[in-house]
Amino acid sequence: MSSVTDVKDKSPLANLGDSGAYQKLLAFASLIALLIGFSIASPNFMQTSNMIAILQATSVNGVLAVAATLVIITGGIDLSVGTLMTFCAVIAGVALTYLGLPLLFGVIAAIAAGAFCGLCSGTFVAKMKIPPFIATLGMMLILKGLSLVISGTRPIYFNDTPGFDQISRGSLIGEVIPALPIPNGVLILFLVAISASYILSRTVLGRYTFALGSNEEAVRLSGVNTDAWKMRIYALAGGICGIGGILIASRLNSAQPALGLGYELEAIAAVVIGGTSLSGGRGTILGTLIGALIMAVLTNGLRVLSVAQEWQTVVTGAIIILAVYADMVRRKKSG
Amino acid sequence: MSKLVEMTGIEKYFPGVHALKNVQFDIASGEVHALMGENGAGKSTLMKILSGIYQRDGGELIIGGQSVSPTTPGEAQDLGIGIIHQELSLMNDLTAAQNIFIGREPRRKFGRLDEAMLNAKTAEIFGSMNLNLDPKVLVGSLTIAKQQMIEIAKALSFRSNVLIMDEPTAALNDAEIAELFAIIRRLKSEGVGIVYISHKMDELKQIADRVTVMRDGEYVGTVDAVETPINKIIAMMVGREVNEKPLEVPNLGDAEVSLKVSGLCRGKDIQDVSFTVQRGEILGFAGLMGAGRTEVARAIFGADPKDAGKIEVHGRQVAIQSPSDAVKAGIGYLSEDRKHFGLATGMNVRDNIALSSMDLFSTGRGVLNEDKMAETAKLFIRKLGIRTPSDTQEVRLLSGGNQQKVVIAKWLLRDCDILIFDEPTRGIDVGAKSEIYKLLEELAAEGKTIIVISSELPEIMRLSHRIAVMCEGRLTGILPGGKETTQEDIMQLATQREAAMRVAETVQ
């Protein structure tokens, strides 16, 4: 037995934070390969403005993917991240445009709405024992409907709230380093990612997130109040979707109530490409970020090469299958 | 007797591991050949080579006089090798017949299934096994023992003349084991050679003809099963003599009653169970499979709801609705199924030890102190002698005995002083077993309160200061531990069925 364990111990997978390291490396290598490939194919690709456009495009999907990662590591799934984002944007619109509240209140309202909806999903899953797929599918439709109801099916514009569009489109970094006008939306994505990564690796909540995905019943029988922790994780994910709602509303300077469907699948795709296991217990935020970047680079690069939009979707689908297949092959090899 | 299989000089390498070193094994027609060794000794690897799951890196495999190299389980089946895995691989939602002929269903024209033929063929196999079972019964509705019979029927349907059984009795009760042994004897008389892998010494004496022992991937020797004393076989397995100390029942006098359960009820599974355990005592729970022992433990621990019953811990009544309430009251439960209910197997030793006590390692804002966790984990690794390369090793890579110690460490860290062990040595090697026993005794001597549930009577008798016996959800009696109580006394209470008791009462 000892000889077997010795060998296993040499693997870099020994540390929990590093699980999926190979996949991350693979994903990172694919990202670099894509960047090099597209720069050779088109001189317009490697422009600063285009790079920034890619990052900007990553910000919303990236934030949603971070939220989805948390839930997926518990062994669940969250299909409501897209329409929750829209719902939160609409709530921000109600607070700022309809009620005329100050900017900060709008932001807080959106995040609180997100956390509350996440808590609802969490309650359905943890207390009512509804499978996460069904619970969040229901939530997805409820939120889509509510967004349309609250907004009267019309977009809510933020023209009366000066500075709202700067949340995403402004550039604090650009003011300090004019040559690097990275939009605030990207900055926010990185802040969200770093916080989520910290929570996952350094806090009790994070440790239980992995433990739930690894073996929920064992955790429950260890005397841990698994229901309560699970609800917290869904609420946290919901709050992060609220931030996503602010980002998209700010970027469009409006809350578009019809938007949102389909975002959840792109977020889940980013999570999967980033090496997080859909069966739970394994995954990293860094992987998810790389996954989101790969999707954005791909979309952008294909557009720069004038590939039709329809084909971009086909390629994205193929990439997801390839990424997961590579992970399977890797895992089979390492036994 | 003719040799059905001969394996000589078998070598097998895995990356970085020399798993089998010059191993030999043979099976004669009409014999039960037991293969023994501690976990990791190489038994399963050897059998996987025989059944075509692994390929050997050296040596010779002769089946039916021909040198062969099966590369898939299918090829091995064609050579007459059938294997029944420890973990049953049946589809619960299909019928017995559909399971047995999965992938080889008799067909009619245009790919339509011939269900009638399927059931007839299955009935024929059941008949040859003297097994009274409807081919159309859903497998999921059967007991584990019956499911095992279906696995055997499936192996026989390939016309196997060698049958490998990997711990076939792990989940069976005594009556079911007798049933299985009857079938094994029948197969034997028909010339089938059986490889029997088991940790249970008493079974070996009953059923095996020869015993081959392996240790650390090497062949140790082959001896006669009936004539060789058990001590010698164990010594061959562990490479040293294992001396079992006789049980000393301590005089607890008027030590505090730390756990008092009264009138515990849940449906038919638990009927009015009441008992007390003292500080420093080991209370054994004996009974047949399905007697309700695990149910009682889970109800006390709050893992399952209960209909009625009062639980007092250290003289104070506690309301336990969930495992988290039980842990707060100082009760820990160690499940029989560590993989599913005891460990977060994907996580490391450190996290598993801390799993119940994360609050000890976190600041007010929930940030973990990883250094303190590591320090604590290392302390327990030393204290309990957990054999692991480091505290960051994933627990799934540890042996059963060491996994059990990790679970024990988890509860000790949580300061649980009432510990309920459900089958504490299931799937644990002979050598590691006595270590666990010693650990339980030390814990009791330190003043912990220990409840041990076990289906193995020798284990109950080896450990218990008192023995509670259950039958069909009722506590039928509590016997003193030590020499005064015999296995027969326990079995009598374990089979004291309600109907029989009523008769006895009216006679009195």
Side-chain angles (χ1 to χ4, degrees):
Chain A
M1 195 64 218
S2 63
S3 47
V4 176
T5 49
D6 286 348
V7 173
K8 291 277 185 183
D9 197 40
K10 280 176 198 148
S11 111
L13 292 178
N15 189 339
L16 184 83
D18 284 350
S19 57
Y22 290 115
Q23 170 76 5
K24 231 167 31 191
L25 209 68
L26 194 78
F28 190 66
S30 322
L31 179 61
I32 301 293
L34 278 177
L35 287 174
I36 293 173
F38 281 127
S39 351
I40 293 170
S42 163
N44 298 327
F45 181 75
M46 250 316 167
Q47 304 287 331
T48 311
S49 61
N50 194 45
M51 286 299 112
I52 285 172
I54 289 176
L55 286 173
Q56 177 76 294
T58 313
S59 62
V60 170
N61 184 33
V63 166
L64 296 185
V66 167
T69 306
L70 296 177
V71 173
I72 288 173
I73 292 176
T74 68
I77 189 93
D78 194 344
L79 295 178
S80 67
V81 294
T83 57
L84 178 53
M85 165 194 82
T86 304
F87 179 73
C88 295
V90 168
I91 292 294
V94 169
L96 297 174
T97 304
Y98 289 0
L99 303 177
L101 295 174
L103 181 60
L104 185 63
F105 283 94
V107 172
I108 291 174
I111 295 173
F116 176 76
C117 294
L119 190 65
C120 290
S121 295
T123 309
F124 301 151
V125 173
K127 289 283 180 205
M128 293 158 69
K129 309 292 173 208
I130 300 170
F133 189 95
I134 308 295
T136 58
L137 179 72
M139 207 58 192
M140 169 176 108
L141 295 173
I142 289 172
L143 292 170
K144 180 181 160 65
L146 280 182
S147 302
L148 291 168
V149 169
I150 293 173
S151 65
T153 72
R154 283 183 305 273
I156 308 173
Y157 293 94
F158 293 95
N159 296 332
D160 304 336
T161 312
F164 186 77
D165 63 334
Q166 292 302 308
I167 294 176
S168 172
R169 289 194 280 196
S171 175
L172 288 176
I173 296 178
E175 278 172 30
V176 185
I177 316 166
L180 210 65
I182 291 176
N184 291 338
V186 177
L187 202 62
I188 292 171
L189 165 63
F190 282 111
L191 287 179
V192 166
I194 290 168
S195 311
S197 201
Y198 182 81
I199 289 171
L200 274 182
S201 60
R202 289 276 177 269
T203 68
V204 179
L205 180 64
R207 201 54 50 94
Y208 283 145
T209 306
F210 282 103
L212 284 172
S214 175
N215 189 348
E216 181 174 340
E217 187 61 9
V219 180
R220 189 177 81 93
L221 291 180
S222 298
V224 176
N225 191 342
T226 44
D227 290 354
W229 287 104
K230 207 189 265 180
M231 285 158 65
R232 278 175 224 178
I233 295 160
Y234 276 85
L236 176 63
I240 294 174
C241 290
I243 297 176
I246 297 289
L247 283 181
I248 188 116
S250 162
R251 197 160 95 202
L252 305 172
N253 203 25
S254 61
Q256 299 284 345
L259 211 68
L261 269 191
Y263 278 65
E264 68 286 334
L265 297 181
E266 284 199 23
I268 292 168
V271 175
V272 168
I273 292 173
T276 293
S277 159
L278 276 185
S279 50
R282 210 168 68 94
T284 57
I285 297 294
L286 181 57
T288 295
L289 271 192
I290 293 171
L293 273 172
I294 286 181
M295 295 194 39
V297 166
L298 210 62
T299 311
N300 178 286
L302 292 173
R303 197 182 304 142
V304 168
L305 295 182
S306 314
V307 174
Q309 174 126 36
E310 304 82 270
W311 280 107
Q312 294 172 16
T313 314
V314 174
V315 172
T316 310
I319 290 288
I320 293 171
I321 292 170
L322 264 178
V324 176
Y325 176 66
D327 188 35
M328 290 294 164
V329 170
R330 198 264 309 156
R331 258 194 281 175
K332 212 170 186 181
K333 266 187 193 152
S334 73
Chain B
M1 282 193 289
S2 63
K3 293 274 186 267
L4 297 171
V5 170
E6 273 190 276
M7 303 175 88
T8 44
I10 300 290
E11 301 277 338
K12 179 71 191 173
Y13 297 89
F14 292 115
V17 186
H18 194 169
L20 293 179
K21 302 163 202 159
N22 191 21
V23 175
Q24 63 186 78
F25 190 73
D26 63 76
I27 306 152
S29 170
E31 79 160 347
V32 175
H33 192 161
L35 183 56
M36 304 207 64
E38 297 195 283
N39 288 338
K43 297 167 299 193
S44 304
T45 309
L46 187 68
M47 287 306 112
K48 280 179 178 168
I49 287 174
L50 179 55
S51 54
I53 297 167
Y54 292 156
Q55 277 73 58
R56 64 182 187 273
D57 296 322
E60 198 171 23
L61 168 57
I62 296 171
I63 298 177
Q66 305 243 303
S67 180
V68 291
S69 305
T71 54
T72 64
E75 283 179 40
Q77 270 164 6
D78 292 341
L79 291 165
I81 310 289
I83 183 161
I84 296 157
H85 293 283
Q86 192 176 354
E87 287 171 10
L88 299 178
S89 46
L90 294 169
M91 288 133 282
N92 284 340
D93 297 319
L94 298 187
T95 67
Q98 286 165 351
N99 264 287
I100 288 170
F101 286 98
I102 189 82
R104 304 170 292 150
E105 297 83 355
R107 283 167 206 211
R108 297 193 293 186
K109 271 184 201 148
F110 309 116
R112 290 172 304 145
L113 291 172
D114 189 347
E115 289 284 341
M117 174 75 128
L118 182 75
N119 291 327
K121 276 181 149 181
T122 305
E124 197 181 305
I125 298 172
F126 285 170
S128 76
M129 290 166 64
N130 213 6
L131 182 61
N132 186 18
L133 202 60
D134 181 1
K136 283 179 275 192
V137 70
L138 275 187
V139 161
S141 69
L142 297 173
T143 61
I144 299 289
K146 286 278 190 299
Q147 292 187 8
Q148 200 122 33
M149 304 298 169
I150 289 175
E151 283 274 21
I152 295 173
K154 185 173 168 186
L156 291 178
S157 73
F158 287 100
R159 299 195 198 321
S160 306
N161 48 20
V162 174
L163 211 50
I164 304 165
M165 297 186 178
D166 193 354
E167 299 224 31
T169 59
L172 304 190
N173 66 30
D174 287 351
E176 291 166 334
I177 290 173
E179 214 174 310
L180 176 71
F181 282 2
I183 288 182
I184 290 179
R185 292 200 180 93
R186 177 180 297 266
L187 294 173
K188 228 175 102 164
S189 69
E190 283 163 12
V192 176
I194 290 162
V195 183
Y196 193 89
I197 300 177
S198 174
H199 285 302
K200 297 186 188 165
M201 292 292 165
D202 51 330
E203 280 177 12
L204 217 67
K205 287 282 174 192
Q206 286 180 53
I207 197 77
D209 300 303
R210 287 191 298 160
V211 182
T212 288
V213 177
M214 290 180 68
R215 185 172 69 233
D216 298 333
E218 286 178 77
Y219 171 82
V220 178
T222 304
V223 295
D224 187 282
V226 182
E227 284 167 17
T228 315
I230 285 176
N231 276 350
K232 193 183 166 204
I233 297 176
I234 294 178
M236 286 169 75
M237 284 169 62
V238 298
R240 63 189 147 85
E241 295 272 348
V242 177
N243 287 320
E244 282 289 334
K245 269 196 318 192
L247 168 69
E248 286 168 30
V249 179
N251 182 7
L252 294 168
D254 53 358
E256 179 205 10
V257 170
S258 41
L259 178 69
K260 181 174 179 196
V261 175
S262 28
L264 191 67
C265 289
R266 203 194 68 221
K268 282 184 88 89
D269 295 337
I270 308 170
Q271 298 171 29
D272 195 20
V273 169
S274 307
F275 63 91
T276 60
V277 205
Q278 281 174 290
R279 197 180 135 86
E281 186 178 31
I282 301 179
L283 176 67
F285 263 84
L288 300 174
M289 192 83 46
R293 294 163 300 162
T294 297
E295 286 75 4
V296 166
R298 287 180 59 99
I300 294 172
F301 187 62
D304 295 329
K306 50 183 176 284
D307 297 340
K310 219 166 67 177
I311 295 166
E312 286 168 56
V313 176
H314 302 302
R316 282 222 334 267
Q317 190 176 340
V318 286
I320 295 174
Q321 308 286 350
S322 69
S324 102
D325 294 339
V327 171
K328 279 189 202 116
I331 304 176
Y333 171 65
L334 292 88
S335 167
E336 57 188 315
D337 190 341
R338 287 183 294 277
K339 281 210 180 75
H340 288 116
F341 303 134
L343 295 163
T345 40
M347 300 180 86
N348 61 30
V349 172
R350 184 196 296 173
D351 287 332
N352 270 285
I353 291 177
L355 198 56
S356 291
S357 327
M358 286 291 181
D359 46 336
L360 294 181
F361 302 105
S362 67
T363 64
R365 271 167 296 165
V367 178
L368 285 173
N369 182 344
E370 203 71 49
D371 293 340
K372 201 170 148 201
M373 274 171 75
E375 204 178 297
T376 309
K378 282 175 186 148
L379 186 80
F380 277 103
I381 289 172
R382 268 201 308 278
K383 191 175 160 201
L384 302 185
I386 302 172
R387 274 188 288 280
T388 172
S390 80
D391 63 313
T392 53
Q393 178 81 340
E394 280 184 43
V395 289
R396 68 187 167 88
L397 302 173
L398 300 185
S399 70
N402 286 305
Q403 288 183 346
Q404 183 68 287
K405 288 181 187 173
V406 170
V407 183
I408 295 175
K410 174 174 80 182
W411 291 121
L412 293 181
L413 174 61
R414 193 65 182 76
D415 237 356
C416 284
D417 51 6
I418 302 171
L419 295 172
I420 308 175
F421 291 84
D422 200 346
E423 304 286 356
T425 62
R426 173 160 293 168
I428 290 178
D429 302 335
V430 184
K433 258 186 191 179
S434 55
E435 262 184 73
I436 298 282
Y437 293 159
K438 234 176 73 195
L439 193 56
L440 292 189
E441 280 171 341
E442 282 166 15
L443 290 173
E446 280 170 24
K448 307 271 186 222
T449 305
I450 311 277
I451 294 176
V452 174
I453 298 171
S454 174
S455 296
E456 291 176 42
L457 281 182
E459 181 165 291
I460 285 282
M461 306 194 55
R462 159 78 181 72
L463 280 172
S464 313
H465 301 160
R466 280 188 304 149
I467 302 164
V469 189
M470 288 191 69
C471 177
E472 294 180 344
R474 291 165 303 112
L475 189 65
T476 46
I478 297 183
L479 299 165
K483 285 196 205 71
E484 323 156 36
T485 302
T486 63
Q487 299 209 10
E488 286 71 30
D489 297 336
I490 298 175
M491 283 317 291
Q492 202 185 352
L493 287 175
T495 52
Q496 202 169 79
R497 310 185 53 174
E498 200 163 14
M501 268 174 70
R502 283 211 199 94
V503 173
E505 274 166 17
T506 47
V507 169
Q508 282 171 358

